[in-house]
Amino acid sequence: VPIPVPPGAAGGRVEVPRSVTAVLGQDVVLPCRYRAQEQEQVVQVTWLKRGPGSVPTEVAVLNPQHGEHVQEPFAGRVLRHGQGDLEDGAIVLRN
């Protein structure tokens, strides 16, 4: 999740599809791209799972300095989709 930009400052924008279709038993990519403005750099991406009426649960944190951390319930099933800059913060849900 990009760090909020102070009021009055121009910032980039997060681009995600309204919905993603998955097939049971197959991998699916959850895209997330941040269109950065000049002087901006994405330093961390955090993915959360929201359930109806529950507190969001952390799924994965992508950080270029500290690597990728996937919470235990999702270990082995969540991977970073791309490489390089975190402006592309997509993940893959396996199976």
Coordinates of all heavy atoms in Angstrom, one line a residue:
V1 N 0.9 -1.2 0.0 CA 0.0 0.0 0.0 C 0.9 1.2 0.0 O 1.8 1.3 0.9 CB -0.9 0.0 1.2 CG1 -1.7 1.3 1.3 CG2 -1.8 -1.2 1.2
P2 N 0.7 2.1 -0.9 CA 1.6 3.3 -1.0 C 1.4 4.2 0.2 O 0.3 4.2 0.8 CB 1.1 4.1 -2.2 CG 0.4 3.0 -3.0 CD -0.2 2.0 -2.1
I3 N 2.4 4.9 0.6 CA 2.3 5.8 1.8 C 1.5 7.0 1.3 O 1.7 7.5 0.2 CB 3.7 6.3 2.2 CG1 4.5 5.0 2.7 CG2 3.7 7.4 3.2 CD1 5.9 5.3 3.0
P4 N 0.5 7.5 2.2 CA -0.3 8.6 1.8 C 0.5 9.9 1.5 O 1.6 10.1 2.1 CB -1.2 8.9 3.0 CG -1.1 7.6 3.8 CD 0.2 7.0 3.5
V5 N 0.0 10.6 0.5 CA 0.7 11.9 0.1 C 0.1 13.0 0.9 O -1.1 13.1 1.1 CB 0.5 12.1 -1.4 CG1 1.1 13.4 -1.9 CG2 1.1 10.9 -2.2
P6 N 0.9 14.0 1.4 CA 0.4 15.1 2.1 C -0.6 15.9 1.3 O -0.5 15.9 0.1 CB 1.6 16.0 2.4 CG 2.8 15.1 2.2 CD 2.4 14.0 1.2
P7 N -1.6 16.5 2.0 CA -2.7 17.2 1.2 C -2.0 18.3 0.4 O -1.1 18.9 0.8 CB -3.5 17.9 2.3 CG -3.2 17.0 3.5 CD -1.9 16.5 3.4
G8 N -2.5 18.5 -0.8 CA -2.0 19.5 -1.8 C -0.9 19.0 -2.6 O -0.5 19.6 -3.6
A9 N -0.3 17.8 -2.3 CA 0.8 17.3 -3.1 C 0.2 16.3 -4.1 O -0.7 15.6 -3.9 CB 1.8 16.6 -2.2
A10 N 0.8 16.3 -5.3 CA 0.4 15.4 -6.3 C 1.0 14.0 -6.0 O 2.1 13.9 -5.6 CB 0.9 15.9 -7.7
G11 N 0.2 13.0 -6.2 CA 0.7 11.7 -6.0 C 0.3 10.7 -7.1 O -0.6 11.1 -7.9
G12 N 0.8 9.6 -7.1 CA 0.5 8.6 -8.1 C -0.9 7.9 -7.7 O -1.6 8.4 -6.9
R13 N -1.2 6.8 -8.4 CA -2.4 6.2 -8.1 C -2.3 4.7 -8.2 O -1.4 4.1 -9.0 CB -3.5 6.6 -9.1 CG -3.3 6.2 -10.5 CD -4.5 6.8 -11.4 NE -4.4 6.2 -12.7 CZ -3.7 6.6 -13.7 NH1 -2.9 7.7 -13.5 NH2 -3.7 6.0 -14.9
V14 N -3.1 4.0 -7.4 CA -3.1 2.5 -7.4 C -4.1 2.0 -8.5 O -5.2 2.5 -8.6 CB -3.5 2.0 -6.0 CG1 -3.6 0.4 -6.1 CG2 -2.5 2.4 -5.0
E15 N -3.7 1.1 -9.3 CA -4.5 0.5 -10.3 C -4.7 -0.9 -10.1 O -3.8 -1.7 -10.1 CB -3.9 0.7 -11.7 CG -3.8 2.2 -12.1 CD -3.1 2.4 -13.5 OE1 -2.5 1.4 -14.0 OE2 -3.1 3.5 -14.0
V16 N -6.0 -1.3 -9.8 CA -6.4 -2.7 -9.6 C -7.7 -2.9 -10.4 O -8.5 -2.0 -10.6 CB -6.6 -3.0 -8.1 CG1 -5.3 -3.0 -7.4 CG2 -7.6 -2.1 -7.5
P17 N -7.9 -4.2 -10.9 CA -9.1 -4.4 -11.6 C -10.3 -4.5 -10.6 O -10.1 -4.8 -9.4 CB -8.9 -5.8 -12.2 CG -7.8 -6.4 -11.4 CD -7.0 -5.3 -10.9
R18 N -11.5 -4.2 -11.1 CA -12.7 -4.3 -10.2 C -12.9 -5.7 -9.7 O -13.3 -5.9 -8.6 CB -13.9 -3.8 -10.9 CG -14.1 -2.3 -11.0 CD -15.4 -2.0 -11.7 NE -16.5 -2.1 -10.8 CZ -17.0 -1.2 -10.0 NH1 -16.4 0.0 -10.0 NH2 -18.0 -1.4 -9.2
S19 N -12.6 -6.7 -10.5 CA -12.8 -8.1 -10.1 C -11.8 -8.9 -10.9 O -11.3 -8.6 -11.9 CB -14.2 -8.6 -10.3 OG -14.5 -8.6 -11.7
V20 N -11.5 -10.1 -10.3 CA -10.6 -11.1 -10.9 C -11.3 -12.4 -10.8 O -11.8 -12.8 -9.8 CB -9.2 -11.2 -10.1 CG1 -8.4 -12.3 -10.7 CG2 -8.5 -9.8 -10.2
T21 N -11.4 -13.1 -11.9 CA -12.0 -14.4 -12.0 C -11.0 -15.5 -11.7 O -9.9 -15.5 -12.4 CB -12.7 -14.6 -13.3 OG1 -13.6 -13.6 -13.5 CG2 -13.4 -16.0 -13.4
A22 N -11.3 -16.4 -10.8 CA -10.4 -17.5 -10.5 C -11.1 -18.9 -10.8 O -12.3 -18.9 -10.7 CB -9.9 -17.5 -9.1
V23 N -10.4 -19.9 -11.2 CA -10.9 -21.2 -11.4 C -10.4 -22.1 -10.3 O -9.2 -22.1 -10.0 CB -10.4 -21.8 -12.8 CG1 -10.9 -23.2 -13.0 CG2 -10.9 -20.9 -13.9
L24 N -11.3 -22.8 -9.6 CA -11.0 -23.6 -8.5 C -9.9 -24.6 -8.9 O -10.0 -25.3 -9.9 CB -12.2 -24.4 -8.0 CG -12.1 -25.3 -6.8 CD1 -11.8 -24.4 -5.6 CD2 -13.4 -26.0 -6.5
G25 N -8.8 -24.7 -8.1 CA -7.7 -25.6 -8.3 C -6.6 -25.0 -9.2 O -5.6 -25.7 -9.5
Q26 N -6.8 -23.8 -9.8 CA -5.8 -23.2 -10.7 C -5.2 -22.0 -10.0 O -5.8 -21.4 -9.1 CB -6.5 -22.8 -12.0 CG -7.2 -24.0 -12.6 CD -6.7 -24.2 -14.0 OE1 -6.0 -23.4 -14.6 NE2 -7.0 -25.4 -14.6
D27 N -4.0 -21.6 -10.5 CA -3.4 -20.4 -10.0 C -4.1 -19.1 -10.6 O -4.7 -19.2 -11.7 CB -1.9 -20.3 -10.4 CG -1.1 -21.4 -9.8 OD1 -1.6 -22.1 -9.0 OD2 0.1 -21.5 -10.2
V28 N -4.1 -18.0 -9.8 CA -4.7 -16.8 -10.3 C -3.7 -15.6 -9.9 O -3.1 -15.7 -8.8 CB -6.1 -16.6 -9.7 CG1 -6.1 -16.4 -8.2 CG2 -6.8 -15.4 -10.4
V29 N -3.6 -14.7 -10.7 CA -2.8 -13.5 -10.5 C -3.7 -12.4 -10.0 O -4.8 -12.1 -10.6 CB -2.0 -13.0 -11.7 CG1 -1.3 -11.7 -11.4 CG2 -1.1 -14.1 -12.2
L30 N -3.4 -11.8 -8.8 CA -4.1 -10.6 -8.4 C -3.2 -9.4 -8.7 O -2.2 -9.1 -8.0 CB -4.3 -10.7 -6.8 CG -5.2 -11.8 -6.4 CD1 -5.4 -11.8 -4.9 CD2 -6.5 -11.9 -7.1
P31 N -3.6 -8.6 -9.7 CA -2.7 -7.5 -10.1 C -2.9 -6.3 -9.2 O -3.9 -6.1 -8.6 CB -3.3 -7.1 -11.5 CG -4.3 -8.1 -11.9 CD -4.7 -8.9 -10.6
C32 N -1.8 -5.6 -9.1 CA -1.8 -4.3 -8.4 C -0.6 -3.5 -8.9 O 0.5 -3.9 -8.7 CB -1.7 -4.5 -6.9 SG -1.7 -3.0 -5.9
R33 N -0.9 -2.3 -9.5 CA 0.2 -1.5 -10.0 C 0.0 -0.1 -9.5 O -1.1 0.4 -9.3 CB 0.1 -1.4 -11.5 CG 1.1 -0.5 -12.2 CD 1.3 -0.7 -13.6 NE 2.0 -2.0 -13.9 CZ 3.3 -2.1 -13.8 NH1 4.1 -1.1 -13.4 NH2 3.9 -3.3 -14.1
Y34 N 1.1 0.5 -9.1 CA 1.1 1.9 -8.6 C 1.8 2.7 -9.6 O 2.9 2.5 -10.0 CB 1.9 2.0 -7.3 CG 1.8 3.4 -6.7 CD1 0.6 3.9 -6.2 CD2 2.9 4.2 -6.7 CE1 0.6 5.2 -5.7 CE2 2.9 5.5 -6.2 CZ 1.7 6.0 -5.7 OH 1.7 7.3 -5.2
R35 N 1.0 3.7 -10.2 CA 1.6 4.7 -11.1 C 2.2 5.8 -10.4 O 1.5 6.8 -10.0 CB 0.5 5.1 -12.1 CG -0.2 4.1 -12.9 CD 0.8 3.5 -13.9 NE 0.1 2.5 -14.7 CZ 0.7 1.7 -15.6 NH1 2.0 1.9 -15.8 NH2 0.0 0.8 -16.2
A36 N 3.5 5.7 -10.2 CA 4.2 6.7 -9.4 C 4.4 8.0 -10.1 O 4.5 8.0 -11.4 CB 5.5 6.2 -8.9
Q37 N 4.4 9.1 -9.4 CA 4.8 10.4 -9.9 C 6.3 10.6 -9.7 O 7.0 9.8 -9.1 CB 4.0 11.5 -9.2 CG 2.5 11.4 -9.4 CD 2.1 11.6 -10.8 OE1 2.5 12.5 -11.5 NE2 1.2 10.7 -11.3
E38 N 6.8 11.7 -10.2 CA 8.3 12.0 -10.0 C 8.6 12.0 -8.6 O 7.8 12.4 -7.8 CB 8.6 13.3 -10.7 CG 9.0 13.2 -12.1 CD 9.5 14.6 -12.6 OE1 10.5 15.1 -12.0 OE2 8.9 15.1 -13.5
Q39 N 9.8 11.5 -8.2 CA 10.3 11.5 -6.9 C 9.6 10.5 -6.0 O 9.9 10.5 -4.8 CB 10.2 12.9 -6.2 CG 10.9 14.0 -7.1 CD 12.4 13.8 -7.3 OE1 13.1 13.4 -6.4 NE2 12.8 14.0 -8.5
E40 N 8.7 9.8 -6.5 CA 8.0 8.7 -5.6 C 8.7 7.4 -5.8 O 9.1 7.1 -6.9 CB 6.5 8.6 -6.0 CG 5.7 9.7 -5.5 CD 4.2 9.4 -5.7 OE1 3.8 9.0 -6.8 OE2 3.4 9.5 -4.8
Q41 N 8.7 6.6 -4.8 CA 9.2 5.2 -4.9 C 8.4 4.4 -3.9 O 8.1 4.7 -2.8 CB 10.7 5.2 -4.4 CG 11.3 3.8 -4.5 CD 12.7 3.9 -4.0 OE1 13.2 4.9 -3.6 NE2 13.4 2.7 -4.2
V42 N 8.0 3.2 -4.4 CA 7.2 2.3 -3.6 C 8.2 1.5 -2.7 O 9.1 0.9 -3.3 CB 6.3 1.3 -4.4 CG1 5.6 0.4 -3.5 CG2 5.4 2.1 -5.3
V43 N 8.1 1.6 -1.4 CA 9.1 0.9 -0.6 C 8.5 -0.4 0.1 O 9.2 -1.2 0.6 CB 9.6 1.8 0.5 CG1 10.4 3.0 -0.1 CG2 8.5 2.4 1.4
Q44 N 7.2 -0.5 0.0 CA 6.6 -1.8 0.6 C 5.1 -1.9 0.0 O 4.4 -0.9 -0.1 CB 6.5 -1.7 2.1 CG 6.0 -2.9 2.8 CD 6.2 -2.9 4.2 OE1 7.4 -3.0 4.7 NE2 5.2 -2.8 5.0
V45 N 4.8 -3.2 -0.2 CA 3.4 -3.5 -0.6 C 2.9 -4.5 0.4 O 3.5 -5.5 0.7 CB 3.3 -4.1 -2.0 CG1 1.9 -4.6 -2.3 CG2 3.8 -3.1 -3.0
T46 N 1.7 -4.2 1.0 CA 1.1 -5.1 2.0 C -0.3 -5.6 1.4 O -1.1 -4.8 1.0 CB 0.9 -4.4 3.3 OG1 2.1 -4.0 3.8 CG2 0.2 -5.4 4.3
W47 N -0.5 -6.9 1.3 CA -1.7 -7.5 0.9 C -2.5 -7.9 2.1 O -2.0 -8.6 3.0 CB -1.5 -8.7 0.0 CG -1.1 -8.3 -1.4 CD1 0.1 -8.0 -1.9 CD2 -2.1 -8.1 -2.5 NE1 0.0 -7.7 -3.3 CE2 -1.3 -7.8 -3.6 CE3 -3.5 -8.2 -2.6 CZ2 -1.9 -7.5 -4.9 CZ3 -4.0 -8.0 -3.8 CH2 -3.3 -7.6 -4.9
L48 N -3.8 -7.6 2.1 CA -4.7 -7.9 3.2 C -5.9 -8.7 2.7 O -6.3 -8.5 1.6 CB -5.2 -6.7 4.0 CG -4.2 -5.7 4.5 CD1 -4.9 -4.5 5.0 CD2 -3.4 -6.4 5.6
K49 N -6.4 -9.6 3.5 CA -7.6 -10.4 3.1 C -8.8 -9.9 4.0 O -8.6 -9.8 5.2 CB -7.4 -11.9 3.4 CG -8.7 -12.7 3.1 CD -8.5 -14.2 3.4 CE -9.7 -14.9 3.1 NZ -9.6 -16.3 3.5
R50 N -9.8 -9.4 3.3 CA -11.0 -9.0 4.0 C -12.1 -10.0 4.0 O -12.4 -10.5 2.9 CB -11.5 -7.7 3.4 CG -10.7 -6.5 3.6 CD -11.4 -5.3 3.1 NE -10.5 -4.2 2.9 CZ -10.9 -3.1 2.3 NH1 -12.1 -2.9 1.8 NH2 -10.0 -2.1 2.2
G51 N -12.7 -10.3 5.1 CA -13.8 -11.2 5.2 C -15.0 -10.4 5.6 O -14.9 -9.3 6.2
P52 N -16.2 -10.9 5.4 CA -17.4 -10.2 5.8 C -17.5 -10.0 7.3 O -17.4 -11.0 8.0 CB -18.6 -11.0 5.3 CG -18.0 -12.4 5.0 CD -16.5 -12.2 4.7
G53 N -17.5 -8.8 7.7 CA -17.7 -8.5 9.2 C -16.5 -8.8 10.0 O -16.5 -8.9 11.2
S54 N -15.3 -9.0 9.4 CA -14.1 -9.4 10.2 C -13.0 -8.3 10.0 O -13.1 -7.5 9.0 CB -13.6 -10.8 9.8 OG -13.1 -10.8 8.5
V55 N -12.1 -8.3 10.8 CA -10.9 -7.5 10.7 C -10.0 -8.0 9.6 O -9.8 -9.2 9.5 CB -10.1 -7.4 12.1 CG1 -8.9 -6.6 11.9 CG2 -11.0 -6.9 13.2
P56 N -9.5 -7.1 8.7 CA -8.6 -7.6 7.6 C -7.4 -8.4 8.2 O -6.8 -8.0 9.2 CB -8.2 -6.3 6.9 CG -9.2 -5.3 7.3 CD -9.7 -5.7 8.6
T57 N -7.0 -9.4 7.5 CA -5.9 -10.3 7.9 C -4.8 -10.1 7.0 O -5.0 -10.1 5.7 CB -6.3 -11.8 7.8 OG1 -7.5 -12.0 8.7 CG2 -5.2 -12.7 8.3
E58 N -3.6 -9.9 7.5 CA -2.4 -9.7 6.6 C -2.1 -11.0 5.9 O -2.0 -12.0 6.6 CB -1.2 -9.2 7.5 CG 0.0 -8.9 6.6 CD 1.2 -8.4 7.5 OE1 1.1 -7.2 7.9 OE2 2.1 -9.2 7.7
V59 N -1.9 -10.9 4.6 CA -1.6 -12.1 3.8 C -0.1 -12.1 3.5 O 0.6 -13.1 3.7 CB -2.4 -12.1 2.5 CG1 -1.9 -13.2 1.6 CG2 -3.9 -12.2 2.8
A60 N 0.4 -11.0 2.9 CA 1.8 -10.9 2.5 C 2.3 -9.5 2.6 O 1.6 -8.5 2.4 CB 2.0 -11.5 1.1
V61 N 3.6 -9.4 2.8 CA 4.3 -8.1 2.7 C 5.5 -8.2 1.8 O 6.3 -9.2 1.9 CB 4.8 -7.6 4.1 CG1 5.6 -6.3 4.0 CG2 3.7 -7.5 5.1
L62 N 5.5 -7.3 0.8 CA 6.6 -7.3 -0.2 C 7.5 -6.1 0.1 O 7.0 -5.0 0.1 CB 6.1 -7.2 -1.6 CG 4.9 -8.2 -2.0 CD1 4.4 -7.9 -3.4 CD2 5.3 -9.6 -1.8
N63 N 8.8 -6.3 0.3 CA 9.7 -5.3 0.7 C 11.0 -5.6 0.1 O 11.6 -6.6 0.3 CB 9.8 -5.2 2.2 CG 10.6 -4.0 2.7 OD1 11.8 -3.9 2.4 ND2 10.0 -3.1 3.4
P64 N 11.6 -4.6 -0.7 CA 12.8 -4.9 -1.4 C 14.0 -5.1 -0.5 O 15.0 -5.8 -0.8 CB 13.0 -3.7 -2.3 CG 12.2 -2.6 -1.8 CD 11.1 -3.3 -1.0
Q65 N 14.0 -4.5 0.7 CA 15.1 -4.6 1.6 C 15.0 -5.9 2.5 O 16.0 -6.5 2.8 CB 15.3 -3.4 2.5 CG 15.7 -2.2 1.8 CD 15.9 -1.0 2.7 OE1 15.1 -0.8 3.6 NE2 17.0 -0.2 2.5
H66 N 13.8 -6.2 2.9 CA 13.6 -7.3 3.8 C 13.0 -8.5 3.2 O 12.7 -9.5 3.8 CB 12.7 -6.8 5.0 CG 13.2 -5.6 5.7 ND1 14.4 -5.7 6.5 CD2 12.8 -4.3 5.7 CE1 14.6 -4.5 6.9 NE2 13.7 -3.6 6.5
G67 N 12.8 -8.5 1.9 CA 12.2 -9.6 1.1 C 10.7 -9.7 1.3 O 10.0 -8.8 1.7
E68 N 10.3 -10.9 0.9 CA 8.8 -11.2 1.0 C 8.5 -12.0 2.2 O 9.2 -12.9 2.5 CB 8.4 -12.0 -0.3 CG 8.7 -11.2 -1.6 CD 8.7 -12.2 -2.8 OE1 7.9 -13.2 -2.7 OE2 9.4 -11.9 -3.7
H69 N 7.4 -11.6 2.9 CA 7.0 -12.3 4.1 C 5.5 -12.7 3.9 O 4.7 -11.8 3.7 CB 7.1 -11.5 5.3 CG 6.6 -12.2 6.6 ND1 7.3 -13.3 7.1 CD2 5.5 -12.1 7.3 CE1 6.6 -13.7 8.1 NE2 5.5 -13.0 8.3
V70 N 5.2 -14.0 3.9 CA 3.9 -14.5 3.7 C 3.5 -15.1 5.1 O 4.2 -15.9 5.6 CB 3.8 -15.5 2.6 CG1 2.4 -16.1 2.5 CG2 4.2 -14.9 1.3
Q71 N 2.3 -14.7 5.6 CA 1.8 -15.2 6.8 C 1.6 -16.7 6.8 O 1.2 -17.2 5.7 CB 0.5 -14.5 7.2 CG 0.7 -13.0 7.6 CD 1.6 -12.8 8.8 OE1 1.7 -13.6 9.7 NE2 2.3 -11.7 8.8
E72 N 1.7 -17.4 7.9 CA 1.7 -18.9 7.9 C 0.5 -19.5 7.2 O 0.6 -20.4 6.5 CB 1.8 -19.3 9.4 CG 1.9 -20.8 9.5 CD 3.0 -21.4 8.7 OE1 4.1 -20.9 8.7 OE2 2.8 -22.5 8.1
P73 N -0.7 -19.0 7.4 CA -1.9 -19.7 6.8 C -1.8 -19.7 5.3 O -2.4 -20.5 4.6 CB -3.1 -18.9 7.2 CG -2.7 -18.2 8.4 CD -1.2 -17.9 8.3
F74 N -1.0 -18.8 4.7 CA -0.9 -18.6 3.2 C 0.5 -19.1 2.7 O 0.7 -19.0 1.5 CB -1.2 -17.1 2.9 CG -2.4 -16.6 3.5 CD1 -2.4 -15.8 4.6 CD2 -3.6 -16.9 2.9 CE1 -3.6 -15.3 5.2 CE2 -4.8 -16.4 3.5 CZ -4.8 -15.6 4.6
A75 N 1.3 -19.5 3.5 CA 2.7 -19.9 3.1 C 2.6 -21.0 2.1 O 1.8 -22.0 2.2 CB 3.5 -20.4 4.3
G76 N 3.4 -20.9 1.0 CA 3.4 -21.9 -0.1 C 2.3 -21.7 -1.1 O 2.3 -22.3 -2.1
R77 N 1.3 -20.8 -0.8 CA 0.2 -20.5 -1.7 C 0.2 -19.1 -2.2 O -0.6 -18.8 -3.2 CB -1.1 -20.8 -1.0 CG -1.3 -22.3 -0.6 CD -2.7 -22.6 -0.1 NE -3.6 -22.3 -1.1 CZ -4.8 -21.8 -0.8 NH1 -5.2 -21.6 0.4 NH2 -5.7 -21.5 -1.8
V78 N 1.0 -18.2 -1.7 CA 1.1 -16.8 -2.1 C 2.5 -16.5 -2.5 O 3.4 -16.7 -1.7 CB 0.6 -15.9 -1.0 CG1 0.8 -14.4 -1.5 CG2 -0.9 -16.1 -0.7
L79 N 2.7 -16.0 -3.7 CA 4.0 -15.7 -4.2 C 3.9 -14.3 -4.9 O 2.9 -14.0 -5.5 CB 4.5 -16.7 -5.3 CG 4.4 -18.2 -4.9 CD1 4.6 -19.0 -6.1 CD2 5.5 -18.5 -3.9
R80 N 5.0 -13.6 -4.9 CA 5.1 -12.4 -5.7 C 5.1 -12.8 -7.2 O 5.7 -13.7 -7.6 CB 6.4 -11.6 -5.4 CG 6.4 -10.3 -6.2 CD 7.4 -9.3 -5.7 NE 7.3 -8.2 -6.6 CZ 8.3 -7.3 -6.8 NH1 9.5 -7.5 -6.2 NH2 8.1 -6.3 -7.6
H81 N 4.3 -12.0 -8.0 CA 4.2 -12.4 -9.4 C 5.3 -11.8 -10.2 O 5.8 -12.5 -11.1 CB 2.8 -11.8 -9.9 CG 2.6 -12.1 -11.4 ND1 2.7 -11.2 -12.4 CD2 2.3 -13.3 -12.0 CE1 2.4 -11.7 -13.5 NE2 2.2 -13.0 -13.3
G82 N 5.8 -10.6 -10.0 CA 6.8 -10.0 -10.8 C 8.1 -9.9 -10.0 O 8.3 -10.5 -9.0
Q83 N 9.1 -9.2 -10.6 CA 10.3 -8.9 -10.0 C 10.7 -7.5 -10.2 O 10.0 -6.8 -11.0 CB 11.4 -9.8 -10.7 CG 11.3 -11.3 -10.4 CD 12.4 -12.1 -11.1 OE1 13.2 -11.6 -11.8 NE2 12.4 -13.3 -10.8
G84 N 11.7 -7.0 -9.6 CA 12.1 -5.6 -9.8 C 11.3 -4.6 -8.9 O 10.9 -5.0 -7.8
D85 N 11.1 -3.4 -9.4 CA 10.4 -2.4 -8.6 C 9.0 -2.8 -8.1 O 8.3 -3.6 -8.8 CB 10.2 -1.1 -9.5 CG 11.5 -0.4 -9.8 OD1 12.5 -0.7 -9.1 OD2 11.5 0.4 -10.8
L86 N 8.7 -2.3 -7.0 CA 7.4 -2.7 -6.4 C 6.2 -1.9 -6.9 O 5.1 -2.0 -6.5 CB 7.4 -2.5 -4.8 CG 8.1 -3.6 -4.1 CD1 8.2 -3.2 -2.6 CD2 7.5 -4.9 -4.3
E87 N 6.5 -1.1 -8.0 CA 5.3 -0.5 -8.6 C 4.4 -1.5 -9.2 O 3.2 -1.3 -9.4 CB 5.8 0.5 -9.7 CG 6.5 1.7 -9.2 CD 7.0 2.7 -10.2 OE1 6.7 2.5 -11.4 OE2 7.6 3.7 -9.8
D88 N 5.0 -2.7 -9.5 CA 4.1 -3.9 -9.8 C 4.1 -4.8 -8.6 O 5.1 -5.5 -8.3 CB 4.7 -4.6 -11.0 CG 3.9 -5.9 -11.4 OD1 2.9 -6.2 -10.7 OD2 4.3 -6.6 -12.3
G89 N 3.1 -4.7 -7.8 CA 3.0 -5.4 -6.5 C 2.0 -6.6 -6.6 O 1.4 -7.1 -5.6
A90 N 1.9 -7.2 -7.9 CA 1.0 -8.3 -8.1 C 1.4 -9.6 -7.3 O 2.6 -9.8 -7.1 CB 0.9 -8.6 -9.5
I91 N 0.5 -10.4 -6.9 CA 0.8 -11.7 -6.3 C 0.0 -12.8 -7.0 O -0.9 -12.5 -7.7 CB 0.4 -11.7 -4.8 CG1 -1.1 -11.4 -4.6 CG2 1.3 -10.8 -4.0 CD1 -1.5 -11.6 -3.1
V92 N 0.5 -14.0 -6.8 CA -0.1 -15.2 -7.4 C -0.7 -16.0 -6.2 O 0.0 -16.2 -5.2 CB 0.9 -16.1 -8.1 CG1 0.3 -17.3 -8.7 CG2 1.5 -15.3 -9.3
L93 N -1.9 -16.4 -6.3 CA -2.5 -17.3 -5.4 C -2.5 -18.7 -6.1 O -3.0 -18.9 -7.1 CB -4.0 -17.0 -5.1 CG -4.2 -15.6 -4.4 CD1 -5.7 -15.4 -4.1 CD2 -3.4 -15.4 -3.2
R94 N -1.8 -19.6 -5.4 CA -1.6 -21.0 -6.0 C -2.8 -21.9 -5.6 O -3.2 -21.9 -4.4 CB -0.3 -21.6 -5.6 CG 0.9 -20.7 -6.1 CD 2.1 -21.4 -6.0 NE 2.1 -22.5 -6.9 CZ 3.0 -23.5 -6.9 NH1 4.0 -23.5 -6.1 NH2 2.9 -24.5 -7.8
N95 N -3.3 -22.6 -6.6 CA -4.3 -23.6 -6.3 C -5.5 -23.1 -5.5 O -5.9 -23.6 -4.5 CB -3.7 -24.8 -5.6 CG -4.6 -26.0 -5.6 OD1 -5.5 -26.1 -6.4 ND2 -4.3 -27.0 -4.7

